[in-house]
């Protein structure tokens, strides 16, 4: 009995010591605000990308890739090089889509902020971590 009490006491002390050494994480709202502040400071960036999706009747997995350039607010250039050349450019008001094989440019309006997806809002420089995500 004494041995069991000592084991329980030792286990309790170890747990308490481990808890005391574990740094407390900041509340999610603090983390979200800090992330938003970093996002707000980014004015532009360039990256390579791979876009993989399932398409067609056979649900075949397809991949495309290229480079993207973003300059907030709202200006983007997506240049696909694999498997075929395509170009999408936005000036923040209009989107210009060009596929050389089609030999035409399609012009469309940028969706209103309340109609854009979360990803599009963040790429356009209009995303808000605290507005667009919830903490549970």
């Amino acid at each position: 009995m004494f041995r069991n009490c000592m084991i329980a006491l030792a286990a309790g002390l170890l747990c308490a010591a481990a808890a005391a050494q574990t740094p407390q994480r900041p509340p999610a709202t603090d983390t979200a605000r800090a992330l938003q502040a970093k996002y707000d400071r980014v004015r532009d960036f360039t990256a390579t990308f791979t876009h993989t999706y399932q398409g067609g009747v056979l649900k075949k997995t397809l991949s495309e890739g290229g480079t993207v350039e973003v300059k907030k607010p709202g200006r983007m250039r997506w240049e696909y090089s694999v498997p075929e050349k395509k170009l999408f450019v936005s000036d923040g008001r209009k989107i210009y889509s060009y596929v050389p094989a089609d030999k035409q440019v399609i012009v469309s309006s940028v969706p209103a902020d309340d109609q854009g997806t979360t990803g599009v809002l963040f790429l356009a420089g209009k995303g808000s971590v605290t507005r667009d995500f919830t903490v549970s």
Side-chain angles (χ1 to χ4, degrees):
M1 173 89 165
F2 179 74
R3 182 173 177 250
N4 289 343
C5 287
M6 291 305 289
I7 291 173
L9 179 61
L13 289 173
L14 284 173
C15 288
Q21 292 177 358
T22 303
Q24 296 296 318
R25 288 188 277 171
T29 52
D30 293 346
T31 303
R33 283 190 200 108
L35 182 59
Q36 184 67 40
K38 285 185 181 275
Y39 167 77
D40 290 340
R41 286 192 298 270
V42 173
R43 301 308 322 149
D44 57 71
F45 67 89
T46 301
T48 59
F49 69 90
T50 301
H51 176 196
T52 303
Y53 59 96
Q54 283 191 338
V57 177
L58 301 176
K59 303 288 184 198
K60 184 178 178 182
T61 300
L62 306 168
S63 288
E64 302 177 303
T67 58
V68 60
E69 298 174 63
V70 174
K71 187 163 184 83
K72 293 189 322 192
R75 293 179 286 177
M76 291 181 262
R77 177 186 174 94
W78 295 79
E79 189 166 358
Y80 287 74
S81 55
V82 176
E84 67 175 317
K85 292 186 183 251
K86 294 190 271 188
L87 181 62
F88 301 91
V89 177
S90 174
D91 62 5
R93 293 184 310 267
K94 298 286 183 186
I95 300 171
Y96 304 87
S97 306
Y98 175 62
V99 179
D102 296 343
K103 298 181 182 176
Q104 66 176 342
V105 174
I106 298 171
V107 181
S108 56
S109 295
V110 170
D113 289 351
D114 62 347
Q115 295 177 350
T117 65
T118 301
V120 169
L121 288 173
F122 273 91
L123 285 170
K126 300 175 183 178
S128 170
V129 176
T130 54
R131 178 194 67 218
D132 299 330
F133 297 94
T134 58
V135 177
S136 54

